[in-house]
């Protein structure tokens, strides 16, 4: 299951189409990526940098919690 978050952008995988959508309302997707009006699958082209930043923060948070547990 995927989450569609507000502000996330999806780009059509059909290079001849190149349509882009921005999520305006957060929701849980059914089972796959959304589809463009041309029928091609849409994917999130800008996901990776966001995920890397989020992962770094998550590691810091988890270390912090671990230190608290040992006390
Ligand atoms: Zn398209």
């Amino acid at each position: 299951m995927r989450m569609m978050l507000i502000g996330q952008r999806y780009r059509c995988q059909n290079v001849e189409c190149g349509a882009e959508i921005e999520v305006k309302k957060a929701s849980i997707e059914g089972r796959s990526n959304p589809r463009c009006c041309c029928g091609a699958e849409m994917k999130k082209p800008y996901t990776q940098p966001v995920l890397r930043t989020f992962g770094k923060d998550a590691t810091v948070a988890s270390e912090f919690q671990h230190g608290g547990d040992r006390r």
Side-chain angles (χ1 to χ4, degrees):
M1 197 154 43
R2 300 156 186 272
M3 287 289 292
M4 289 181 77
L5 302 174
I6 295 171
Q8 272 183 334
R9 283 169 176 275
Y10 285 77
R11 181 173 288 169
C12 177
Q13 296 300 288
N14 179 356
V15 288
E16 287 181 20
C17 172
E20 223 176 81
I21 59 163
E22 190 179 323
V23 179
K24 294 292 183 191
K25 183 173 177 290
S27 67
I28 297 171
E29 283 181 52
R31 45 208 149 82
S32 59
N33 287 326
R35 290 208 175 260
C36 178
C37 52
C38 76
E41 199 179 34
M42 303 197 79
K43 289 186 177 174
K44 291 171 282 189
Y46 311 125
T47 311
Q48 268 188 327
V50 176
L51 280 180
R52 204 184 303 145
T53 307
F54 182 78
K56 207 170 154 192
D57 289 347
T59 305
V60 172
S62 122
E63 279 171 7
F64 180 76
Q65 281 172 0
H66 188 69
D69 284 340
R70 275 196 306 200
R71 238 183 318 144

